Amino acid sequence: METQNEYTFLIDAFTPETVPMARLAEYLIDLAQLLGEESSVHFVRVDHGSTRLVATVEPEAIPNVRDRLVLADRGEGPADALKAINKINKKLKEDNGSARLIEGQGVEIIVFKGRDIVGEFDYPTVGQSGSLVGEVVRVGGVGEYPLVHLRDGEGGIYRCNLVKSLAKNIAKYIYAGEVRVFGKGKWYRTDMGVWELKDFHIEYFEPLDSAPLSSVIEDLHEIQGHEWGEVEDPWGLLYHLRTEIGEIH
């Protein structure tokens, strides 16, 4: 049987008989995120011995998956792959275990230290001013600084805080499109080199216009006595302007 397209995730903390089903599902989700190529990666079985989760990769996706894993192991891969490694290590530490990801019949691709990681984070928190974009999905709290939850385009949640007077205003935009918030955040670097947001204090915000660009172009055409109303090809002009300032390469 050809096994070069198989990846085995071997966890030493459990056996197939002792691993809780819910925990198994959590590891599978993280493994899927690490491997990427969603439509071409398939979970096939749990082998005996230590818990061995076996996934297969369709032949055309093998180079992409292999390159993704090699880069992630160096701390240079895509952010979602590095984040998956970090989540796996956190779970392993909680479960007092470690793991290995093996390609084919024995090529070790990634070692997850898990329980052997000393301390949760190796780097201090870094403060930095900046902005976040997301949909307001929750506003509340009884403390001096209410909490605001913003959901980004990938479903991730930013947990922010702000003064009460500003909370009343931003609450008007719950499930009403995206907003951009400005303020100061605290970031930490995980053991796998991924920067994650610890907290963010919102100083002010602005709602974002959800109108499609085509609608904006139509509005520009309607402007009387302005050069935009005379532009025959606004799409082409916008492309030209964006190219000049380096947005498109």
Side-chain angles (χ1 to χ4, degrees):
M1 176 181 176
E2 181 59 62
T3 58
Q4 68 172 354
N5 65 330
E6 282 191 351
Y7 284 93
T8 301
F9 180 61
L10 191 157
I11 310 172
D12 66 6
F14 305 103
T15 66
E17 293 75 24
T18 63
V19 60
M21 183 179 292
R23 195 57 156 179
L24 179 64
E26 291 176 359
Y27 278 115
L28 282 172
I29 291 172
D30 293 341
L31 181 61
Q33 182 180 353
L34 174 60
L35 294 172
E37 298 291 326
E38 292 182 5
S39 62
S40 301
V41 176
H42 313 282
F43 172 65
V44 291
R45 66 183 184 274
V46 179
D47 283 347
H48 289 288
S50 300
T51 301
R52 298 169 179 257
L53 312 181
V54 182
T56 59
V57 180
E58 293 179 8
E60 65 275 10
I62 290 175
N64 290 340
V65 171
R66 183 178 293 125
D67 290 346
R68 177 183 175 89
L69 294 175
V70 170
L71 287 173
D73 187 44
R74 297 175 184 168
E76 302 172 358
D80 59 335
L82 296 176
K83 195 169 186 177
I85 291 177
N86 186 61
K87 289 192 292 185
I88 289 171
N89 270 317
K90 284 185 177 180
K91 288 182 176 64
L92 289 168
K93 189 169 184 179
E94 293 169 357
D95 296 335
N96 192 32
S98 61
R100 293 178 292 150
L101 183 63
I102 298 171
E103 182 184 46
Q105 297 184 1
V107 180
E108 194 171 80
I109 302 296
I110 300 177
V111 175
F112 302 87
K113 296 181 180 179
R115 62 170 173 261
D116 297 323
I117 295 175
V118 178
E120 187 174 0
F121 307 110
D122 294 331
Y123 300 87
T125 300
V126 175
Q128 184 175 356
S129 297
S131 64
L132 303 172
V133 173
E135 179 186 29
V136 180
V137 295
R138 183 179 180 184
V139 180
V142 297
E144 181 179 359
Y145 296 99
L147 298 178
V148 174
H149 288 191
L150 297 179
R151 180 167 56 202
D152 66 18
E154 298 180 352
I157 298 294
Y158 297 122
R159 292 169 176 81
C160 311
N161 63 75
L162 73 180
V163 297
K164 292 180 180 178
S165 59
L166 193 57
K168 293 180 181 179
N169 292 330
I170 203 170
K172 301 174 184 177
Y173 295 93
I174 290 182
Y175 300 117
E178 291 186 326
V179 300
R180 177 178 281 109
V181 300
F182 302 85
K184 295 180 179 178
K186 292 182 180 179
W187 300 79
Y188 62 82
R189 191 179 184 188
T190 68
D191 299 292
M192 298 309 300
V194 180
W195 286 97
E196 293 191 359
L197 183 65
K198 183 176 183 181
D199 60 62
F200 191 90
H201 179 73
I202 300 173
E203 297 176 342
Y204 63 100
F205 76 96
E206 60 182 19
L208 298 181
D209 188 354
S210 59
L213 185 57
S214 57
S215 174
V216 176
I217 295 297
E218 291 178 6
D219 291 342
L220 290 173
H221 265 308
E222 295 299 321
I223 298 176
Q224 298 297 322
H226 191 280
E227 61 181 2
W228 271 106
E230 303 173 1
V231 175
E232 295 183 0
D233 182 16
W235 287 100
L237 178 59
L238 284 175
Y239 182 90
H240 175 71
L241 292 173
R242 291 176 62 195
T243 303
E244 281 192 343
I245 63 175
E247 281 190 33
I248 298 178
H249 301 282

